[in-house]
Structure formats: C-alpha cells, structure tokens
Amino acid sequence: ATEGGHAHTHEGGAHQNDNDHGEDHDHEHNDNISRTIWTDRTEVFVEFPPLVVGQETKLITHLTDLSNFQPIRSGKLTVGLFKDGKGDPGTTTTIASPGIFKPVITPKEAGMHQLVFELNTTQLKDQIYVHQVEVFVNQDAVQANDSPENPNEITLLKEQTWTMDFANAAVVKDTIHQIIHCGGEIVPTTGTEKTVIATSNGILVYQMRNATLGKAISNGQLMFKVAGGGMLDLDLEARFKKAATDFEIATTRYERRKKLFEAGGYATSSFEEDTQEYQNAKAEYEALAANYSKDGKPVYAPQSGYLKALYHSEGSFVESGTPLALIATDRSVTLRADVGQEYFNQLNQIHSANFTAQGRQFSLEELGGRLLSYGRAISKDQPQIPVYFQLPNSGDFLPGSFVEVFIQLQPQGVALTIPSSALLEKYGQYSVMVQTGGESFVEKPVKVGIDNGQQIEILSGLQEGERVVTQGAFQVKMAGMSGEVPEHGHTH
C-alpha cells in the first residue's frame, strides 16, 4: 500500500455460509486497495493493487486469530476469484512470515468479482468472502480514488497490534436489564469448613511437612500429635497403668465367676455386681488408652481440602477441645452482595449477576452459579440487605475478598451494547476507539446507559457491527496523539 487519501465504505458482509460473518470494510488508497473482513474466528486484512485482466497480482494478506488476536503462525491459505459463482479456484500458498501470506492471482475477466479465502491450520479452518472486488479490462481503465484522507484517522500496523495487549469486539444488540450496583464479599459456604480439634491435653507437635496456609489436606491425614509433658505426662501414665491393672483383675474375676454362675454355683445378685465392676474397669481403661501414648495422641484431618488457618504454633500447650486448625474445601464459595434498603421490593426480580473479583470480571450464568436467598430484615449493625449467590470455586476466588457486584433484575428491552472495557473516559465524557480497517482506527464519542459490569448500553455514537477496541484502546489513542504515525504501508 502507498500513502494517499483514504476512503472508507462499510458494507454488510453477505453470508455465503456459516463461516462468513461480520463487516466487509473497504479501505482504498489512490493506487492500492485494502479490505478487512472479520468472521467469528479470523480477521483478514488484505492489500493489493487494482486488479487487471491478465496481470499477475500479489495479495499481501494479514491473518489474525480472533481467539487471542495473535498472528496466524502456520497453515495454508487458498485464494480464489469468482464472478457470478464461476471462476478460478485459485492457488494455495504457505505462510511467508508470522501472520502474513502472499498469494498470487491472475484475473481472466473484467467486472465485479468475489475473493474467497480458505484458511486451513491445525488450530482452525475458516472461509472468508470479500465482495465487490472490481477487475479492470486494462491498466488504462483503472479509476483513481480521489477521496480525501480522514484527518482523525489513527494508523497502527498489524505488526504493532500483534505485539500489544489488544482485542476488539463488534457492537451488538443485546437484552439489557435493570441493574443494582453494590459492593459485596466472597465468603465460605456453610458446611465447607471443618475445625480440627485437640482430643487431649498436652504439647502440640506438627506431623505435616511445610504446614503453610493453602496446603492440600487429605481426609484422614495425620496432622498433629498431642504429647504429654512434665507432671501431666507422669500423672496420665500412672492413671493408665492403674486402670490397666484394675481392668486385668476385674476381667480375671469376671471370667472365673461367670463359669460358676453358668454352672449354678454362684448367686445371680453377686454375679451382676461382678459384671458391673468389670464393665466400669473396661470403660476406664479404654478411655485412658485412647488418650495415652508415649508418642502423643494423634489428630487426623476430618475432611479433604486445604489448610485455611492454624491457631497454635508447634510446642504450644493445648487442652482437649481446643481448635487446632481449619480445613476448607474449594468446591464452592458464597458471594454476598450488600444491597441498599431502597431495593428491597425489587429483590424478587433478580435474574442474574456479574461481579468483579481479584481484578477479573465474572458472570454468574457463565460460572453456573445460582441465587441462594436474600435477607428479610435489617439492624443497626447490618443496615443493608444481604443477597447470597452460590458459586463453584475453581480456585479463582479468595474467601474474605471484597467484590463489586452488578445484580441484574428484569429485562428492560434490547439495545446496542459493547464490552465495558472498551470505554475511555475523560472529565465525564466517554469515547471508544473504532477499528475501521485492519490498520486504521477512529475515536468516536458515545453516550452510555446501563452498565452490567461486563456490557454497557450505547445510547448514541455507534452502529451495530462496528468494531470497538476492547483491550489496548488507550495505547491506540496515545499512538494517534503522539504524532508518530507510521507510514501506511508495508515492506514485505
């Protein structure tokens, strides 16, 4: 491509098949032509001189994978030129450099044609149609384009955007909902945490390696031992030895007199007393045996999960019943949203929710979460109404962290929407960077409406199908303000 006047026309891309979507943006220069097509999978930005019958023409074709906005790095590209459904199926070429293919075509007939690109890589397959491509009968018939250049247009080469944190998205019509915007907190789900309890008095001895918070714990895992110490240890040992002796004597007496009783040579009342004495001695012995060990009393994990809290350091003296640790599962967490009292009568209309946690945006529907309940009373200590949502926890949520919540109520209709991340704000005025072609951008002011935390309603300033920059918008704007606009062209 060469420098020169820029003319932009926005065509609705005709759907030739399921893979043909989006906008067909015509971006012509005085001598060369640029066309940009977006499908659901791929962006194709192609530059070429006017097509002339019998003249071999190279198409500089830039291909971007829309799943990550990175250049296509492998595969084959087939390009065909068709008129009224008939034509040359084209040639197949391999990649020349990351994101760039250089297929060659030789038109055979003048008139309006259709370019068809077929991309085949190990990651994706796509078909892209470029409509209304004119082929001239000879070089003298080529018409120059004298459209003036847009002075507000910003140019960034594909090689630049491929190295940026960059993404774009189409302006779409979507259902909007009334929103309650509030704060909230990620809290543990009831029943997903269990406390590890000491079952005897003594000195706490850790049995876990690298006992740090977040450590994975298995059900039944040996976590601690509680060992006796000093006079306590001697007293417990003395009591255990006495109970063992008493139990042995009671057992011998009970078994001997049981034989006499069964032979009819011993009174029933006396045998009942012997039986009771035996049972008491057994209970005393078993109770002390369960708590007595020269190595300490073992304490096992009551469930699998991760170590959320440790309440005592190793070597501490603990008593029976003392909490030692907290084990939490990560199967689910609870999102508590704190809603103002004025919304109480609308809480029965809750449809879904979006929220921001740890700097990331989440959707209740996409996570498979659900509404649990909401409060019916307030107090001086809790003046706001709690609304609870259950979330499956894949490790993205930190219990105790605060979140920004957008509760969706009943639908309010259909409107134009864009991702909230596309908005630029300055002194209360909003704008977006619109990508008008593969390497061209224009800043447009917009008026906004309802914001659900992920999508925002556009009241004016944009049309359906336009592409707005959702990541890297500020960098694109700064490139335009710097005055260091690269030449609109390539040396490939």
Side-chain angles (χ1 to χ4, degrees):
T2 60
E3 291 185 89
H6 296 189
H8 302 276
T9 61
H10 299 275
E11 307 171 2
H15 289 234
Q16 302 296 318
N17 59 27
D18 291 340
N19 292 327
D20 183 21
H21 300 281
E23 303 304 301
D24 183 348
H25 297 275
D26 187 56
H27 183 172
E28 299 185 4
H29 301 268
N30 286 338
D31 297 320
N32 288 349
I33 299 169
S34 299
R35 301 292 286 271
T36 305
I37 308 291
W38 287 278
T39 73
D40 289 341
R41 305 175 182 88
T42 315
E43 177 195 278
V44 175
F45 170 57
V46 58
E47 299 175 297
F48 53 93
L51 302 180
V52 177
V53 173
Q55 183 173 305
E56 185 178 87
T57 306
K58 181 186 295 183
L59 309 178
I60 305 299
T61 308
H62 309 71
L63 288 165
T64 303
D65 184 346
L66 293 185
S67 68
N68 55 17
F69 291 87
Q70 291 295 301
I72 298 294
R73 299 183 184 276
S74 63
K76 296 181 179 180
L77 182 69
T78 301
V79 182
L81 187 64
F82 296 87
K83 181 181 179 183
D84 301 325
K86 299 179 182 179
D88 187 351
T91 58
T92 298
T93 184
T94 56
I95 194 166
S97 60
I100 299 175
F101 293 77
K102 300 178 181 180
V104 174
I105 61 172
T106 304
K108 298 179 180 178
E109 183 180 357
M112 286 297 177
H113 288 67
Q114 182 184 65
L115 275 173
V116 180
F117 293 85
E118 292 190 12
L119 176 64
N120 190 341
T121 78
T122 55
Q123 287 78 30
L124 62 87
K125 292 178 174 59
D126 204 357
Q127 281 190 318
I128 306 99
Y129 293 82
V130 182
H131 307 291
Q132 297 297 305
V133 177
E134 186 170 4
V135 176
F136 297 96
V137 64
N138 54 45
Q139 193 66 42
D140 293 336
V142 174
Q143 299 177 358
N145 176 27
D146 297 324
S147 299
E149 181 178 353
N150 182 350
N152 298 319
E153 183 176 273
I154 298 169
T155 299
L156 280 181
L157 304 184
K158 297 308 298 181
E159 291 87 343
Q160 292 175 291
T161 55
W162 283 336
T163 61
M164 293 169 49
D165 183 13
F166 179 88
N168 64 38
V171 180
V172 298
K173 286 185 177 179
D174 201 357
T175 301
I176 58 172
H177 299 78
Q178 183 181 351
I179 297 295
I180 299 176
H181 184 195
C182 60
E185 183 181 358
I186 300 293
V187 297
T189 299
T190 302
T192 62
E193 296 184 347
K194 289 189 177 181
T195 302
V196 182
I197 302 295
T199 54
S200 64
N201 301 344
I203 304 301
L204 185 63
V205 181
Y206 279 42
Q207 300 298 307
M208 301 173 288
R209 291 184 178 180
N210 302 320
T212 55
L213 300 186
K215 178 181 176 65
I217 301 295
S218 301
N219 185 27
Q221 177 181 339
L222 177 62
M223 297 181 65
F224 309 99
K225 284 187 177 181
V226 180
M231 293 301 296
L232 175 69
D233 188 26
L234 295 175
D235 179 62
L236 182 61
E237 183 176 3
R239 289 173 57 197
F240 172 72
K241 289 182 176 179
K242 181 178 183 304
T245 301
D246 292 344
F247 178 50
E248 183 179 1
I249 294 172
T251 301
T252 301
R253 183 185 301 117
Y254 169 75
E255 291 177 349
R256 184 176 66 250
R257 291 180 177 177
K258 180 181 179 182
K259 292 179 181 179
L260 291 174
F261 173 74
E262 291 174 347
Y266 194 64
T268 300
S269 59
S270 298
F271 180 67
E272 289 177 349
E273 292 178 0
D274 294 333
T275 301
Q276 186 63 48
E277 180 182 350
Y278 162 75
Q279 291 175 344
N280 291 341
K282 179 181 179 182
E284 177 72 10
Y285 169 76
E286 290 179 346
L288 287 171
N291 288 281
Y292 174 75
S293 170
K294 289 186 177 181
D295 294 329
K297 172 66 175 178
V299 180
Y300 300 99
Q303 69 173 13
S304 297
Y306 65 91
L307 195 58
K308 182 177 180 181
L310 287 169
Y311 298 123
H312 299 279
S313 59
E314 187 168 19
S316 300
F317 174 78
V318 295
E319 296 182 348
S320 179
T322 301
L324 302 179
L326 185 65
I327 300 175
T329 65
D330 58 0
R331 292 188 296 271
S332 67
V333 292
T334 298
L335 168 62
R336 188 198 71 233
D338 299 318
V339 175
Q341 304 171 26
E342 66 272 21
Y343 296 108
F344 176 71
N345 292 329
Q346 302 176 58
L347 296 183
N348 60 353
Q349 303 175 23
I350 292 177
H351 170 73
S352 185
N354 298 326
F355 61 98
T356 301
Q358 284 89 59
R360 296 173 55 193
Q361 294 181 336
F362 298 92
S363 165
L364 186 70
E365 290 182 342
E366 292 175 0
L367 291 171
R370 64 187 180 92
L371 172 68
L372 289 176
S373 62
Y374 59 87
R376 263 68 172 185
I378 58 174
S379 65
K380 291 182 179 180
D381 296 331
Q382 179 59 47
Q384 295 178 308
I385 303 171
V387 179
Y388 297 100
F389 300 91
Q390 187 179 63
L391 309 172
N393 187 9
S394 59
D396 294 316
F397 307 119
L398 180 64
S401 61
F402 292 99
V403 297
E404 184 179 14
V405 187
F406 300 81
I407 298 176
Q408 299 180 26
L409 302 178
Q410 292 301 309
Q412 299 294 297
V414 175
L416 292 179
T417 65
I418 62 172
S420 303
S421 60
L423 277 185
L424 296 171
E425 188 268 339
K426 184 177 181 180
Y427 303 123
Q429 301 297 312
Y430 295 98
S431 65
V432 296
M433 302 306 300
V434 177
Q435 185 172 357
T436 54
E439 297 180 335
S440 55
F441 303 83
V442 173
E443 183 175 8
K444 290 189 176 183
V446 294
K447 291 185 178 180
V448 300
I450 295 174
D451 183 356
N452 70 12
Q454 291 192 334
Q455 301 289 119
I456 192 164
E457 178 187 12
I458 296 298
L459 301 176
S460 66
L462 293 175
Q463 296 180 357
E464 184 178 8
E466 289 186 290
R467 306 286 298 198
V468 296
V469 180
T470 57
Q471 293 181 38
F474 183 74
Q475 290 90 326
V476 173
K477 182 174 181 177
M478 289 299 98
M481 295 176 66
S482 69
E484 297 178 1
V485 179
E487 288 190 7
H488 196 94
H490 297 268
T491 303
H492 298 303

